[in-house]
């Protein structure tokens, strides 16, 4: 239960300023984010449907990709509608309970995506380093287990971080120079001691980030060694090409998060912080399906067949 002052138990509100400092950009930003959201939904849902329809894509790699697309769809749906609303309404407030709810679902998606990216790196490692044993090693049962682990860890992490917020006291109305309910928003709005909450956040976020990053880097280290040992130039090209989409997504995702959290929360850096927040919470869920579809021949062929079928049916 969220703690509040007795006289203000029902009046705890957070005002997310968002991009209020730039009133002339409200309408252009609304249109831009609306387009990004539409592309993100179409791309991620389309990716799931394509993988479902095409039997050739019923492989571990695409099984994990479909779940990555689902997580991206959920995350953009959690964040962007509220962002769009704040761009067109004068009252930009959100109750502390609604803000915590948005954070809880959002951090579940972020933590799940980190683990999913690590799982996908492990999958590429097995596929390239042990191709003859890949089908047996990456069995449907193991695939389901790894996906379950990803979702479970995302939920567990969210419960821990959300609980660390629920024990804080909030009072009155807090004006926050952001557009999304991040952990820093609650720490800024808290009226009670927040050292324990900060410690929990530090441990959980860093544990999740660096553990998954170590798995990814280790997997790609062994992948690189295996590819470089190949005598055929064509084989090396195919090996690197197989990993290109995933490696691009990982670089953008972790690069943005690390850059975002390394910026000090000073007044001069708030614009950069908000741009970073926009990129990892709005742009990345749109980029992921585009990166995979543009660099994947099987997905492009399926899209072409669907378009041809649509034209013929008309």
């Amino acid at each position: 239960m969220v703690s509040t002052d007795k006289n203000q138990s029902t009046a705890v509100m957070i005002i997310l300023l968002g991009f209020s400092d730039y009133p002339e950009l409200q309408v252009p930003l609304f249109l831009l984010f609306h387009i990004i959201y539409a592309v993100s939904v179409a791309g991620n849902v389309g990716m799931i449907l394509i993988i479902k329809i095409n039997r050739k894509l019923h492989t571990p790699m695409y099984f994990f990709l479909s779940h990555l697309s689902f997580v991206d769809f959920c995350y953009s749906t959690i964040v962007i509608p509220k962002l769009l609303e704040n761009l067109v309404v004068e009252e930009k407030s959100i109750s502390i309970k609604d803000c915590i709810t948005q954070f809880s679902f959002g951090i579940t998606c972020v933590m799940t995506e980190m683990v999913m990216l690590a799982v996908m790196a492990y999958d590429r490692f097995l596929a390239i380093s042990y191709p003859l044993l890949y089908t047996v090693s990456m069995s449907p049962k193991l695939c389901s287990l790894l996906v379950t682990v990803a979702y479970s860890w995302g939920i567990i992490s969210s419960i821990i971080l959300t609980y660390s917020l629920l024990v804080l006291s909030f009072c009155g109305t807090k004006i926050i120079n952001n557009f999304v309910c991040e952990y820093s928003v609650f720490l800024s709005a808290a009226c009670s001691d927040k050292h324990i909450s900060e410690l929990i956040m530090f441990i959980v976020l860093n544990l999740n980030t660096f553990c998954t990053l170590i798995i990814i880097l280790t997997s790609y280290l062994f992948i690189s060694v295996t590819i470089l040992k190949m005598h055929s130039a064509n084989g090396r090209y195919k090996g690197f090409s197989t990993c290109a989409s995933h490696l691009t997504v990982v670089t953008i995702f972790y690069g943005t998060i690390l850059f975002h959290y390394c910026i000090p929360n000073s007044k001069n850096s708030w614009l950069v912080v908000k741009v970073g927040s926009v990129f990892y919470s709005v742009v990345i869920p749109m980029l992921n399906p585009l990166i995979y579809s543009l660099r994947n021949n099987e997905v492009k062929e399926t899209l072409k067949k669907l378009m041809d079928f649509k034209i013929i049916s008309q």
Side-chain angles (χ1 to χ4, degrees):
M1 182 176 180
V2 177
S3 300
T4 60
D5 282 357
K6 293 181 180 180
N7 296 331
Q8 295 178 328
S9 60
T10 61
V12 180
M13 302 293 291
I14 291 177
I15 298 177
L16 298 173
L17 291 180
F19 298 92
S20 301
D21 295 339
Y22 310 93
E24 69 282 359
L25 295 178
Q26 299 295 296
V27 174
L29 286 175
F30 176 85
L31 296 174
L32 175 62
F33 292 145
H34 194 280
I35 293 172
I36 289 176
Y37 182 55
V39 173
S40 179
V41 170
N44 286 298
V45 173
M47 183 66 73
I48 295 171
L49 292 176
I50 288 171
I51 293 171
K52 184 77 173 177
I53 293 170
N54 192 342
R55 291 186 176 275
K56 292 182 179 179
L57 303 181
H58 291 181
T59 62
M61 181 178 73
Y62 292 105
F63 175 72
F64 297 133
L65 177 56
S66 65
H67 283 279
L68 180 68
S69 295
F70 174 72
V71 172
D72 282 333
F73 164 75
C74 291
Y75 189 49
S76 59
T77 302
I78 291 167
V79 173
I80 300 181
K82 184 61 181 179
L83 169 60
L84 293 175
E85 178 188 334
N86 282 349
L87 287 170
V88 295
V89 299
E90 292 185 7
E91 183 62 41
K92 304 181 186 299
S93 62
I94 180 173
S95 69
I96 189 68
K97 291 182 179 179
D98 289 343
C99 204
I100 289 178
T101 300
Q102 185 195 65
F103 167 80
S104 180
F105 284 108
I107 200 65
T108 300
C109 293
V110 173
M111 294 297 188
T112 301
E113 179 152 350
M114 285 185 179
V115 179
M116 199 73 70
L117 290 173
V119 168
M120 293 174 76
Y122 176 69
D123 170 69
R124 290 299 82 207
F125 158 68
L126 288 180
I128 293 174
S129 299
Y130 302 98
L132 299 178
L133 299 175
Y134 175 65
T135 305
V136 178
S137 301
M138 193 57 73
S139 63
K141 185 176 181 180
L142 178 59
C143 291
S144 299
L145 177 62
L146 290 173
V147 167
T148 302
V149 169
Y151 285 118
S152 299
W153 177 247
I155 293 171
I156 291 171
S157 300
S158 175
I159 291 173
I160 294 172
L161 290 173
T162 302
Y163 176 77
S164 71
L165 295 177
L166 295 177
V167 297
L168 294 173
S169 294
F170 301 93
C171 52
T173 299
K174 298 292 182 179
I175 299 176
I176 306 298
N177 195 5
N178 209 327
F179 67 90
V180 64
C181 293
E182 295 180 329
Y183 208 94
S184 58
V185 169
F186 302 104
L187 295 181
S188 300
C191 301
S192 59
D193 181 68
K194 49 197 175 185
H195 289 94
I196 300 298
S197 297
E198 289 177 329
L199 179 61
I200 293 173
M201 177 195 68
F202 179 82
I203 293 173
V204 173
L205 292 182
N206 282 284
L207 178 66
N208 199 75
T209 300
F210 290 106
C211 284
T212 54
L213 200 53
I214 286 172
I215 293 172
I216 292 170
L217 293 176
T218 303
S219 297
Y220 274 106
L221 176 62
F222 285 110
I223 288 172
S224 300
V225 172
T226 301
I227 292 175
L228 292 174
K229 286 182 179 180
M230 294 178 180
H231 300 293
S232 169
N234 187 46
R236 288 195 294 270
Y237 172 77
K238 286 183 178 179
F240 283 118
S241 179
T242 301
C243 303
S245 297
H246 180 259
L247 194 55
T248 303
V249 169
V250 167
T251 301
I252 294 174
F253 182 81
Y254 280 92
T256 303
I257 287 180
L258 293 174
F259 172 77
H260 177 71
Y261 284 104
C262 284
I263 300 174
N265 291 331
S266 62
K267 292 183 178 179
N268 296 329
S269 66
W270 268 115
L271 178 59
V272 180
V273 170
K274 282 190 280 190
V275 171
S277 297
V278 166
F279 200 81
Y280 83 77
S281 62
V282 177
V283 178
I284 287 179
M286 176 195 69
L287 285 181
N288 288 351
L290 293 179
I291 292 171
Y292 275 101
S293 61
L294 291 175
R295 296 194 59 87
N296 195 293
N297 291 328
E298 288 88 350
V299 174
K300 286 191 286 187
E301 287 176 6
T302 306
L303 281 172
K304 184 179 179 181
K305 289 179 181 178
L306 290 175
M307 293 299 294
D308 291 341
F309 176 79
K310 183 177 180 181
I311 293 172
I312 293 172
S313 62
Q314 290 178 343

